[in-house]
Amino acid sequence: TTAGIYENLSITIANCTSIDDPDVTLEDPPTPTVTVVSTVNPVTCGGDGTIELLFTDVADDTYDIDYDGGIFNGIVVTAGTATITTTAGIYENLSITVANCTSVDDPDVTLEDPPTPTIAVVSITDPAACSADGTIELSFTNVIDNTYDIDYNGGTFNAIVVTGGTVTINAPAGTYDDLSITINGCTSVEDPDVILVEPDVPIITVTGTTDPLTCGGDGTIELLLTDVADDTYDIDYAGGTFNGIVVAGGIATITTIAGIYDNLSITVAGCTSADFPDVTLNDPPTPTITVTGTSNPITCGGNGTIELLFTNVSDDTYDIDYNGGVFNGIVVTAGTATITTTAGIYENLSITI
């Protein structure tokens, strides 16, 4: 029979009943008790903490400890105590069953991971120059002063020093999505995004050129510039630089001699234009002079003639030079001229236009 109090036991035979009336009490085994002595929270997110338990009426052995929604299996009880190692969570109505007797104390335990850090972007400063660094100002909670790595999609800012819950990161232009910090295995979940942008790259366009009017003289190069503030700049080209070029209203004029000026560029705040236009300035065409015929004087002291043919010489009056002298006021018509002069040696005839 089950546990209970059975008093005045008797038997009846042929209507005769015993009169001894003995009493009997049957008792279940003692019901175990379970008490939480202490708990230790996990020191890292996802790590284990501990639950220290005290039992009565539980012999040394291995038991299962039940709680709402689960079981701690294989818990070793020694001298009425046990330690459960488990992750953060809510463990309500802890109980142990021994010889089919279940404890009724039903204590509750909550283990908590360390506080999760938070990260927020306070402000950003774009780079002031191409290839220079900008800044990202961050604020944190649950982050003690120390050196940390700050992760983002595709990379990490290493060894960032956090002081007083804030930090400044120096970084080049770029997209830094899902910024996060991890402490004791606990990763922030705010995932803020930051974009740092370099200054606008200047654009340089040649709007016109004027060739020199004279050999060795200056021509001009007219430039249109965008994203270039009014100031004085150097304009680079392959093999050289035009120094001190004044830009006003996005326009500049370079005065220079004939030449080939390839890959014109301007650099502003470390940003170099990428258009690289080419310019060629040409001197006027060089005249040519050819002797087509001569006539010697027919009398001593008289005049002979020198017949000349020119190219790149317009109709006009010119001086014709030779070694040691000049024929002045020579009329060129349709590319020809006749010089009338006395006998002599006239070397290295030339015309200058």
Side-chain angles (χ1 to χ4, degrees):
T1 186
T2 59
I5 298 172
Y6 304 97
E7 294 181 334
N8 299 319
L9 292 169
S10 65
I11 187 171
T12 300
I13 300 173
N15 208 32
C16 297
T17 299
S18 62
I19 58 173
D20 309 279
D21 298 331
D23 300 329
V24 171
T25 300
L26 296 181
E27 295 179 348
D28 280 331
T31 300
T33 67
V34 59
T35 305
V36 175
V37 177
S38 65
T39 62
V40 177
N41 288 318
V43 296
T44 61
C45 285
D48 286 334
T50 60
I51 305 170
E52 301 287 335
L53 299 178
L54 176 67
F55 303 93
T56 62
D57 298 315
V58 178
D60 291 356
D61 207 340
T62 300
Y63 300 90
D64 292 339
I65 306 298
D66 296 295
Y67 60 91
D68 286 352
I71 299 174
F72 298 118
N73 297 111
I75 303 302
V76 176
V77 175
T78 304
T81 63
T83 299
I84 297 173
T85 300
T86 188
T87 58
I90 298 173
Y91 304 102
E92 294 182 334
N93 298 321
L94 291 167
S95 66
I96 187 172
T97 299
V98 179
N100 211 35
C101 300
T102 300
S103 60
V104 296
D105 313 275
D106 299 332
D108 300 330
V109 168
T110 299
L111 295 183
E112 297 179 343
D113 278 330
T116 300
T118 69
I119 185 173
V121 176
V122 178
S123 66
I124 63 171
T125 302
D126 289 321
C130 288
S131 300
D133 284 342
T135 60
I136 304 170
E137 303 284 338
L138 301 176
S139 67
F140 303 93
T141 62
N142 301 322
V143 178
I144 62 173
D145 292 357
N146 208 337
T147 300
Y148 301 92
D149 291 341
I150 307 297
D151 296 300
Y152 58 90
N153 282 352
T156 301
F157 297 117
N158 297 113
I160 302 302
V161 177
V162 175
T163 304
T166 63
V167 73
T168 299
I169 297 174
N170 296 314
T175 300
Y176 304 101
D177 286 343
D178 298 332
L179 291 166
S180 66
I181 187 172
T182 299
I183 301 174
N184 296 325
C186 305
T187 300
S188 59
V189 297
E190 291 76 23
D191 299 331
D193 302 329
V194 167
I195 297 176
L196 297 182
V197 180
E198 285 182 342
D200 292 328
V201 175
I203 298 172
I204 184 170
T205 306
V206 176
T207 57
T209 62
T210 303
D211 289 323
L213 295 175
T214 62
C215 287
D218 286 334
T220 59
I221 304 171
E222 301 289 333
L223 300 177
L224 176 66
L225 302 138
T226 57
D227 297 316
V228 178
D230 291 357
D231 208 339
T232 300
Y233 300 90
D234 292 340
I235 306 294
D236 296 300
Y237 60 91
T241 301
F242 297 117
N243 299 113
I245 303 303
V246 176
V247 175
I251 297 172
T253 300
I254 297 172
T255 301
T256 188
I257 59 174
I260 297 173
Y261 305 102
D262 286 343
N263 298 328
L264 291 167
S265 67
I266 187 171
T267 299
V268 181
C271 304
T272 300
S273 58
D275 314 276
F276 302 127
D278 301 329
V279 168
T280 299
L281 296 183
N282 296 306
D283 278 330
T286 301
T288 67
I289 184 170
T290 305
V291 176
T292 57
T294 61
S295 297
N296 288 317
I298 58 175
T299 61
C300 287
N303 287 329
T305 59
I306 303 169
E307 300 291 333
L308 300 175
L309 176 68
F310 302 93
T311 61
N312 301 321
V313 179
S314 61
D315 292 356
D316 209 338
T317 300
Y318 300 91
D319 293 338
I320 306 297
D321 295 294
Y322 60 90
N323 284 355
V326 178
F327 296 119
N328 299 112
I330 303 303
V331 177
V332 175
T333 303
T336 64
T338 300
I339 298 173
T340 301
T341 188
T342 59
I345 298 173
Y346 304 102
E347 293 180 332
N348 298 323
L349 291 166
S350 66
I351 186 172
T352 299
I353 300 174

